[in-house]
């Protein structure tokens, strides 16, 4: 079932590799085993200490408990996946998070899209290369951290990604919050698109416009309509004046490059929760990760909901998977018959087929220690068979 993929990626910063994606091709067929409860079907792990070879040093401003690592790092870490796009060939483009937790300490973290392939037979993840995000044509009107206009974690906090049919990327940012459009080589194609009336503290500090949103609470998730016309970025935090725990899901028209004015409300189970990702199932339904802030023994609420548009502008919620209670009859990964995903931040979900999804954590390198206290978390990649079909629009399956 191994699948050979030869990717000659002729873009800046990309390492072209020929790899055997052992076990990847079997993922899409994992639902053929009938299950009565969400069941773990594959597990792989990318070590926390994985770095982009021959890249620039990073982490010179990082302080605190680094859980066994020493900063600064000689290279850029391959870490903290905050968004995922399926390439349909056994590889996935994942978005590395903005750096080391805040704007002040992430100026030497280069924003990057990584290309990965899970190799489930060996429980590993292959890093195939990637592209750094840049603004060579000066579309960002304010001063960037670097004069060469390579984008860093002090410029934007990139958290969600959609890959368009032409290979370009739409990325959701939390510092604006902004929508950012990049070509396949990672070059910004237009000025950052703001959301009227919603201002994050990072933008407020730069512009003097009062903030209406909490820090790091911008576009955490972003779905694309199956026909490719609309984006649906979902805020992680509640806008000032909205009811506690209500999150705005706005509609953005890619033809006009403007928001349509249509908006839906996602209600968190508790105001202290946050969302980790949002992807489309069809034109009216989304998969949304909702989580608490706990990790390890304090991790309780890590769930994936099916959210459906209603005529009153709200989203109805139905539980799909409790990530703290996944059946594991084969004891995959060396875990017991009940598998848990006890990470602080879980920010990636992708639909593999009608009855199978994949989920990845964001390891907040090197700070999160959800799997083992005092040890920096790896990036884990799991696939889950579902007892019921999601009945997805065929166009969301690559």
């Amino acid at each position: 079932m191994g699948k050979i993929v030869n990717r000659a990626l002729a873009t800046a910063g990309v390492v072209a590799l020929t790899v055997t994606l052992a076990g990847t091709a079997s993922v899409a067929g994992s639902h053929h085993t009938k299950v009565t409860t969400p069941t773990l079907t594959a597990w792989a792990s990318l070590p926390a200490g994985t770095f982009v070879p021959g890249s620039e040093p990073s982490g010179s401003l990082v302080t605190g408990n680094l859980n066994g690592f020493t900063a600064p790092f000689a290279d850029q870490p391959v870490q903290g996946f905050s968004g995922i796009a399926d390439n349909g060939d056994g590889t996935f483009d994942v978005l590395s998070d903005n750096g080391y937790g805040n704007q002040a300490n992430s100026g030497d973290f280069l924003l990057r899209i990584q290309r990965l392939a899970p190799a489930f037979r060996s429980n590993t993840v292959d890093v195939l290369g990637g592209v750094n995000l840049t603004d060579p044509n000066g579309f960002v009107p304010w001063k960037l951290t670097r004069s060469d206009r390579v984008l860093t974690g002090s410029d934007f906090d990139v958290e969600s990604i959609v890959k368009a049919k032409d290979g370009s990327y739409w990325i959701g940012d939390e510092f604006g919050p902004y929508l950012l459009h990049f070509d396949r080589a990672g070059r910004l194609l237009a000025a950052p698109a703001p959301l009227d009336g919603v201002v994050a503290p990072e933008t407020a500090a730069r512009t003097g416009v009062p903030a209406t949103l909490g820090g790091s609470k911008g576009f955490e998730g972003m779905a694309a309509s199956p026909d490719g016309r609309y984006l649906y970025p979902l805020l992680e935090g509640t806008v000032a004046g909205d009811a506690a725990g209500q999150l705005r899901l706005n509609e953005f028209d890619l033809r006009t490059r403007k928001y349509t004015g249509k908006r839906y409300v996602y209600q968190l189970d508790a105001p202290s929760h946050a969302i980790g990702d949002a992807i489309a199932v069809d034109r009216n339904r989304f998969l949304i990760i909702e989580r608490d802030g706990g990790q390890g023994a304090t991790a309780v609420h890590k769930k994936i909901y099916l959210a459906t548009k209603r005529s009153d502008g709200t989203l109805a919620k139905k539980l799909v998977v409790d990530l703290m209670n996944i059946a594991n009859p084969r004891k995959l990964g060396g875990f017991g018959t009940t598998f848990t995903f006890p990470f602080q931040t879980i920010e990636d979900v992708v639909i593999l087929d009608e009855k199978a999804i994949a989920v990845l954590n964001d390891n907040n390198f090197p700070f999160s220690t959800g799997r083992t206290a005092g040890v920096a978390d790896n990036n884990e990649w799991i696939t889950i068979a579902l007892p019921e079909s999601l009945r997805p629009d065929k166009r969301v399956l690559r």
Side-chain angles (χ1 to χ4, degrees):
M1 299 295 288
K3 183 175 181 180
I4 305 296
V5 179
N6 190 352
R7 305 293 297 179
L9 302 173
T11 53
V14 177
V15 180
L17 297 177
T18 302
V19 297
T20 301
L21 306 184
T24 302
S26 65
V27 172
S30 61
H31 70 273
H32 294 300
T33 299
K34 292 184 178 180
V35 298
T36 58
T37 188
T39 300
L40 191 69
T41 52
W43 177 90
S45 180
L46 182 69
T50 302
F51 297 86
V52 178
S55 56
E56 298 182 19
S58 184
S60 62
L61 300 175
V62 175
T63 60
N65 181 5
L66 306 187
N67 295 301
F69 288 89
T70 301
F73 313 115
D75 293 290
Q76 298 284 316
V78 178
Q79 58 86 293
F81 305 137
S82 58
I84 187 169
D86 189 349
N87 292 319
D89 61 359
T91 72
F92 298 79
D93 289 339
V94 301
L95 188 63
S96 284
D97 212 332
N98 82 305
Y100 302 107
N102 60 67
Q103 189 176 32
N105 69 4
S106 299
D108 61 3
F109 182 90
L110 307 186
L111 299 184
R112 185 173 173 86
I113 298 170
Q114 314 281 357
R115 182 153 293 183
L116 306 181
F120 289 116
R121 288 183 179 173
S122 59
N123 302 131
T124 59
V125 178
D126 292 321
V127 181
L128 309 184
V131 293
N132 292 337
L133 302 182
T134 64
D135 179 31
N137 297 310
F139 286 114
V140 178
W142 57 87
K143 184 179 180 180
L144 297 174
T145 303
R146 293 172 55 122
S147 60
D148 63 2
R149 307 194 71 80
V150 174
L151 300 178
T152 75
S154 288
D155 299 315
F156 296 101
D157 183 359
V158 292
E159 294 285 351
S160 47
I161 185 170
V162 165
K163 191 171 185 178
K165 293 179 181 178
D166 63 2
S168 66
Y169 301 96
W170 285 90
I171 289 177
D173 154 74
E174 291 204 297
F175 286 167
Y178 299 110
L179 292 181
L180 307 170
H181 190 202
F182 295 90
D183 68 14
R184 65 184 65 196
R187 296 171 295 217
L188 193 65
L189 292 171
L195 176 60
D196 287 346
V198 181
V199 180
E202 294 81 7
T203 292
R206 179 175 54 80
T207 63
V209 177
T212 59
L213 191 68
S216 191
K217 294 296 182 182
F219 294 141
E220 185 69 41
M222 184 161 62
S225 61
D227 63 5
R229 177 168 180 177
Y230 299 103
L231 296 177
Y232 292 93
L234 177 60
L235 294 172
E236 186 179 14
T238 301
V239 177
D242 290 355
Q246 287 190 351
L247 308 182
R248 296 183 183 183
L249 179 80
N250 290 273
E251 184 179 80
F252 184 84
D253 190 331
L254 290 176
R255 292 183 186 175
T256 63
R257 303 297 175 95
K258 295 180 180 179
Y259 286 95
T260 67
K262 290 184 179 180
R263 189 169 78 202
Y264 299 89
V265 173
Y266 179 85
Q267 180 67 54
L268 295 167
D269 290 349
S272 61
H273 290 174
I275 66 102
D277 201 3
I279 63 170
V281 177
D282 55 34
R283 62 179 296 187
N284 292 314
R285 297 181 300 148
F286 308 89
L287 288 182
I288 297 178
I289 301 174
E290 181 174 333
R291 62 169 184 84
D292 59 22
Q295 63 175 339
T298 63
V300 177
H301 193 287
K302 314 289 181 181
K303 296 182 178 181
I304 299 178
Y305 287 104
L306 184 66
T308 304
K309 293 178 184 176
R310 294 194 287 205
S311 59
D312 63 357
T314 63
L315 294 169
K317 296 167 62 174
K318 177 183 177 182
L319 181 65
V320 174
V321 180
D322 180 350
L323 296 171
M324 295 301 294
N325 185 22
I326 303 170
N328 186 21
R330 293 190 287 156
K331 299 184 179 180
L332 298 177
F335 300 97
T337 55
T338 298
F339 178 84
T340 65
F341 217 48
F343 301 107
Q344 181 182 17
T345 49
I346 302 167
E347 300 189 356
D348 311 85
V349 60
V350 62
I351 300 172
L352 301 175
D353 60 28
E354 292 185 355
K355 298 180 70 175
I357 60 174
V359 182
L360 291 72
N361 67 307
D362 174 358
N363 69 347
N364 298 306
F365 176 81
F367 300 111
S368 287
T369 58
R371 187 61 78 188
T372 304
V375 177
D377 281 331
N378 295 335
N379 284 110
E380 295 188 19
W381 193 317
I382 61 175
T383 66
I384 303 170
L386 305 175
E388 297 180 10
S389 173
L390 291 171
R391 295 178 289 108
D393 188 303
K394 300 301 183 183
R395 291 172 292 183
V396 306
L397 302 175
R398 288 185 178 269

